[in-house]
Structures are given as structure tokens and as C-alpha cells.
Amino acid sequence: MEVAANCSLRVKRPLLDPRFEGYKLSLEPLPCYQLELDAAVAEVKLRDDQYTLEHMHAFGMYNYLHCDSWYQDSVYYIDNLGRVMNLTVMLDTALGKPREVFRLPTDLTACDNRLCASVHFTSSTWVTLSDGTGRLYLIGTDTNKYEIIKHDTLRGKSVPHYAAIEPDGKGLMIVSYKSFTFVHTGQDLEENKNETMSEKIKEPLYYWQQTEDDLTVTVRLPEGSSKEDIQVQFLPEHINIVLKGQRFLEGNLYSSIDQESSTWIIKENNSLEIFLTKKNEGLTWPELVVGDKQGEFIRDSAQCAAIAERLMHLTSEELNPNPDKEKPPCNAQELEECDIFFEESSSLCRFDGSSLKTTHVVNLGSNQYLFSVIVDPKEMPCFCLRHDVDALLWQPHSSKQEDMWEHIATFNALGYVQASKRDKKFFACAPNYSYAALCECLRRVFIYRQPTPMSTVLYNRKEGRQVGQVAKQQVASLETNDPILGFQATNERLFVLTTKNLFLIKVNTEN
């Protein structure tokens, strides 16, 4: 039996800046153009029975704006009339309305269980189009004909963050929270049917919250449970819960507790509440029981607001901050505050296209996935991961088996800064790495430029060294109350799609 190779991502130290001190707010205006759409975007909205976090990732966070990486400044979207609409920018002063380039022959609104329609530019001459109802269209601009010669199903229990086929078609790479496996065509899926259905309706075994001093665990009890049916044992680093003679939860706690001060009660709503007192006050627990994935952590909104406030020093609100008010460089020791927004660990997997087996696995751990971008259309899309306070861009190279992922760019402190944006929705960056950007659910767009040389000489008074570069932050506020549905970046422009409008923000004007 072949075992997938456990790999790691190799960071290029010269691309890191340990002395980076944050972004300075720039009040330079950003030219912004607004185009009204003839028809609204074909948005797939969540139904009442689609309420889980995975549904939100699949539908609520879907990017409805698609960029043609072969032709810069050309974007596409699909409207509710089934039309594929294109806008190609030639001159900023002569922007026309988006034009129809293709129309789907099916009525999208007639399908109740449709998915989000998508567009992908596989080459400079043809495009793949999925209408969200199970149909895949191959649209070419040359005389070649294409057909599907192989069909395999890739099944997983989470929405993938990133999925890309290698240029030669010999492999597939996926970044996801839960693992994926291939199901061969014609394979009997009946044995997995009950398991899949149970996964859909299965609720967390328990819920837990925490403060700086204690933790609260809530367990929904079976009907008719009494105090005599419950046994809870506290040890300094261990917990054991037994319900009606069956072991419910047992394992080592993430950190030590004061067992004498810990207790439990049965609530009137037929739930068990367990109160654990932390020995190490102020320590944030990333998990309750080490290695247990059956519970769900509930974040406290007041804690999130306080942490976001403490993170704001990285994005200065002053055009010329007081040089006497020192703001130390970002460092890994500050991560504890930011990392209360922790997510489950994800993995990067590479599948062989012939055997459909996993060949390489990278455990991403705390390296949170942020976004993907096509730097070179002939290569696979790059993916951006958080590393400590920074955001690192990685370019996959399927031809290099020993060094398959190359660190090609760094966005200083972006991993830290994005954690302070509680309403963030989409990320993007320029293919030439000149800037990174994120948008909120409504109106606001934040642009973070790479450090550039300063025209005047400034000194850091505390360290007595000359400051030769400055990184700027800019903020654009869109004139709309509609939610942002799409977000794409090119070297010169940001494209922002709402339900009824398409906005163009001129980011770089030197070209």
C-alpha cells in the first residue's frame, strides 16, 4: 500500500520583513467608476434548511465575479436572465456597459436546488461554464472540439478552500478542512448513503465557551435524563462524562483546571452545563479536549470586539503618526490576541490523476487559507496562507516533485490585519504583488500597498535608524447599500460586483 508523502512549505526568509511596523493611512483619492447592470446578478440565496457554516461557505461567500487571467482587466458575471456578461476596460474615460457574450439555454430560476454558476478560463481560446444545475459547457473560440473522456467524483465533507488541476492534467491539488477521496464512476454509493445523510443532520456533541478565567460546556441531554444518570469526573488535566452508563466524553484537557472549583448543573431546558475553572488565567484554549472534534466553540461577541480594537494599531488612522509614539514591529508573541479567531486545521493534498490516490500531504496547521490568485495563466493558481502575522503567496509547480510549492511573495502583516476586520468577505491581490485588498460585506474596500521608497528622509527616533520605505493603506467606500457579491484584482484596477452595479477602482495610475 502506497503512503502519501508528508511535505512542508519552505519559506524564503529574504521575502520576510521582521522590521515591518505597520501601514500608514493615505488620504490620496482613488478614482472610482460605477456601472449600472441591466439585470441583477444570478445570486443563489440560502434556503431555510441551509443554515450550517458549510452552507455559508458554499453559497454566502461565493465570488460571483470572474476574471479572465489571459486578458487583464476583463471580467465576467452571470445575470438572472442566464446571460454571461463581459466588461473589458480599454479607456477609463470611455467605459461601456457590460455586454452579453453567451446565453444559457436553460432557465436558472426554474431549478430549486441549483448551485452557483461559475466561469473558468482554461486557456486563451476556450472557457468552461457551469450553470449550477448539473450542466457543463465547453465554449471555444477556435475550431477545436473537446469532449469529456473521463469522469470521476471527488467527495468530501467540507467546502474546499482551493481546488486546481495541474496544467498537464496529471494531478489535482486541494486545500480543505476535511479530507477528500475519489469515487470511481459506477461505484456503488449505497454503503455511504446513510453515513452521508447522518453527517448532514448530525449536530455537535457539545458546545463550549470560554473567558479569561473559566470555560462553560453545554450538553443536550436525552429525554427523560435525571441527575442519577449523569457522572462527571474532574481531574487537574482530565475530564470524564458518563451518561446512562455510556461514556459520553473522556480525554485530556488542553490545559490544567482547578478541579475543586469546577462543577456542573442540570438546566431546566434539559441540558447539562459544566463549569471549568482555568489554572492558567488568561490562556486561550484552541480546543477543549485534546484531539476531540465533536464539539463546537461559540465565540463571544464582546471578546471579538475587544480583540479587534487591540489590533487596530496595525492600520494607522493618522496620515502622519507621531514619531514619538512608537509602534513596535509585528512579532509572533502578539499572536495570542489575534488567534482567538482560530479555525480548524486545514491540509493541502495532491492527487494523482491516473491512480486517484493522494501523493503529497501538507498539514497547514495554523496557516489559515486566505485567497487564491492567478499570477501566470499558464501555471496553477497561487494560494495565499497566513504565516504568523504575514500573508505568504505560494505558487504550485506540478513538475517539481521535490519542491512543489514555491514562496513567491509576502504581504506584510496582512494575516494579522485581516483578523481585525470582523465584516471581511473577499480577499484579492494584484498578479504583480504590488498590493493586496479585502472588502467587507457592504461598501468598504481596504487596499494595502507594498512598501515603497519615501521621497523625504525620516528616522525612527527610538532606534536611531533611517526609515527608507513606507507601506500605505487606502480605504474606498462604495456608494451603494447592496451587498458585495464579487471581488477581483488586476495590476491596475479592483472590480467590485454588487447585486445591481459593477464598480471599478483605479488602484495604480502610473501605467
Side-chain angles (χ1 to χ4, degrees):
M1 178 179 178
E2 296 182 2
V3 180
N6 288 318
C7 308
S8 60
L9 302 178
R10 299 178 183 177
V11 176
K12 293 182 179 179
R13 297 298 172 185
L15 295 182
L16 303 180
D17 182 7
R19 303 176 73 90
F20 183 75
E21 297 183 359
Y23 293 91
K24 305 298 184 288
L25 180 66
S26 171
L27 300 182
E28 298 175 13
L30 290 168
C32 184
Y33 306 91
Q34 178 178 350
L35 301 174
E36 186 175 354
L37 308 184
D38 294 334
V41 177
E43 180 184 1
V44 178
K45 296 185 178 180
L46 292 171
R47 304 192 306 267
D48 291 340
D49 61 339
Q50 296 174 329
Y51 54 85
T52 67
L53 184 60
E54 292 299 326
H55 284 111
M56 177 57 67
H57 283 160
F59 298 104
M61 301 296 289
Y62 183 76
N63 194 337
Y64 287 89
L65 192 60
H66 311 280
C67 187
D68 184 351
S69 56
W70 299 87
Y71 300 99
Q72 280 266 327
D73 293 312
S74 185
V75 293
Y76 295 77
Y77 68 91
I78 301 173
D79 65 20
N80 57 13
L81 300 179
R83 301 181 301 174
V84 179
M85 306 296 289
N86 163 248
L87 177 74
T88 300
V89 179
M90 298 299 185
L91 296 172
D92 292 340
T93 56
L95 290 176
K97 287 191 174 182
R99 61 186 181 90
E100 177 183 342
V101 294
F102 185 77
R103 183 175 295 223
L104 294 169
T106 56
D107 183 5
L108 296 181
T109 60
C111 182
D112 294 332
N113 297 318
R114 69 186 176 99
L115 305 175
C116 304
S118 62
V119 180
H120 178 67
F121 296 88
T122 310
S123 74
S124 60
T125 56
W126 67 290
V127 59
T128 56
L129 168 63
S130 171
D131 65 2
T133 66
R135 293 180 176 86
L136 179 67
Y137 300 86
L138 304 178
I139 308 169
T141 58
D142 55 14
T143 57
N144 295 332
K145 292 184 179 180
Y146 302 91
E147 62 178 342
I148 299 175
I149 60 175
K150 185 178 181 181
H151 177 266
D152 292 291
T153 301
L154 188 65
R155 187 182 65 227
K157 298 178 181 178
S158 66
V159 177
H161 300 306
Y162 169 96
I165 298 175
E166 296 174 357
D168 58 8
K170 295 182 179 179
L172 169 70
M173 294 185 190
I174 288 184
V175 177
S176 62
Y177 159 44
K178 294 184 179 179
S179 61
F180 278 73
T181 55
F182 269 102
V183 178
H184 294 271
T185 304
Q187 180 177 339
D188 185 10
L189 302 180
E190 189 63 32
E191 59 182 2
N192 301 302
K193 184 175 180 181
N194 293 335
E195 177 186 352
T196 304
M197 291 300 295
S198 63
E199 284 290 334
K200 290 182 179 179
I201 62 175
K202 184 178 179 180
E203 293 186 0
L205 195 64
Y206 59 89
Y207 298 87
W208 64 287
Q209 295 176 285
Q210 65 176 314
T211 66
E212 291 188 352
D213 305 319
D214 52 45
L215 305 101
T216 303
V217 185
T218 303
V219 177
R220 176 70 64 181
L221 295 174
E223 291 294 333
S225 298
S226 63
K227 187 175 182 180
E228 289 71 25
D229 298 324
I230 302 170
Q231 296 178 8
V232 181
Q233 181 185 24
F234 300 119
L235 294 175
E237 297 181 351
H238 193 88
I239 190 172
N240 183 23
I241 305 174
V242 177
L243 297 180
K244 293 188 175 182
Q246 300 292 323
R247 186 177 65 183
F248 180 82
L249 178 66
E250 182 182 10
N252 293 326
L253 297 167
Y254 176 78
S255 186
S256 301
I257 62 170
D258 184 349
Q259 65 185 96
E260 300 299 330
S261 302
S262 301
T263 184
W264 59 273
I265 62 171
I266 297 179
K267 304 284 285 187
E268 294 181 356
N269 61 353
N270 199 38
S271 65
L272 169 67
E273 282 201 359
I274 302 171
F275 305 97
L276 305 175
T277 304
K278 294 180 179 179
K279 269 283 184 65
N280 302 317
E281 297 180 0
L283 175 65
T284 299
W285 291 26
E287 58 185 345
L288 180 68
V289 175
V290 177
D292 185 76
K293 305 295 184 182
Q294 303 175 88
E296 180 176 315
F297 175 67
I298 301 176
R299 295 169 175 81
D300 181 83
S301 59
Q303 284 180 315
C304 294
I307 292 165
E309 182 70 24
R310 292 198 291 269
L311 289 172
M312 290 306 292
H313 75 275
L314 281 171
T315 50
S316 172
E317 295 296 332
E318 303 174 32
L319 184 59
N320 296 303
N322 183 352
D324 294 326
K325 184 180 180 181
E326 292 297 335
K327 295 176 180 178
C330 309
N331 62 77
Q333 294 177 351
E334 297 182 66
L335 284 174
E336 291 182 0
E337 295 179 354
C338 186
D339 280 347
I340 194 170
F341 299 98
F342 51 77
E343 295 185 359
E344 298 288 354
S345 175
S346 297
S347 61
L348 166 61
C349 297
R350 191 256 180 192
F351 295 87
D352 181 79
S354 299
S355 65
L356 306 182
K357 294 181 179 180
T358 305
T359 60
H360 299 74
V361 177
V362 179
N363 182 5
L364 299 180
S366 60
N367 300 136
Q368 176 191 2
Y369 174 86
L370 298 178
F371 62 89
S372 64
V373 61
I374 297 178
V375 170
D376 181 352
K378 296 179 182 179
E379 294 280 355
M380 299 175 69
C382 301
F383 53 86
C384 190
L385 303 176
R386 175 181 169 181
H387 284 249
D388 292 337
V389 298
D390 298 325
L392 274 55
L393 198 63
W394 299 88
Q395 174 67 67
H397 296 294
S398 58
S399 59
K400 301 179 180 179
Q401 293 295 312
E402 299 300 322
D403 193 11
M404 195 168 288
W405 300 282
E406 179 187 3
H407 173 202
I408 60 173
T410 299
F411 298 104
N412 298 302
L414 185 65
Y416 210 2
V417 169
Q418 59 88 24
S420 70
K421 309 298 182 187
R422 287 179 293 161
D423 296 327
K424 61 181 178 289
K425 188 169 186 181
F426 296 125
F427 294 88
C429 77
N432 62 3
Y433 336 128
S434 59
Y435 70 92
L438 66 87
C439 70
E440 295 182 335
C441 298
L442 291 172
R443 297 190 195 89
R444 293 204 296 177
V445 176
F446 298 86
I447 298 167
Y448 302 95
R449 297 182 182 272
Q450 294 284 18
T452 55
M454 301 184 64
S455 57
T456 58
V457 178
L458 291 180
Y459 288 88
N460 184 307
R461 295 185 181 180
K462 184 176 182 180
E463 299 181 7
R465 60 182 176 84
Q466 182 176 337
V467 179
Q469 293 184 319
V470 64
K472 295 181 180 179
Q473 171 200 359
Q474 292 176 283
V475 184
S477 184
L478 308 179
E479 296 182 359
T480 178
N481 292 322
D482 295 329
I484 295 177
L485 300 180
F487 194 60
Q488 293 289 350
T490 66
N491 293 336
E492 293 185 38
R493 300 172 182 86
L494 273 172
F495 294 87
V496 187
L497 181 68
T498 66
T499 308
K500 301 176 182 176
N501 291 278
L502 180 60
F503 294 86
L504 284 75
I505 301 174
K506 191 70 178 294
V507 179
N508 292 321
T509 58
E510 297 178 357
N511 294 340

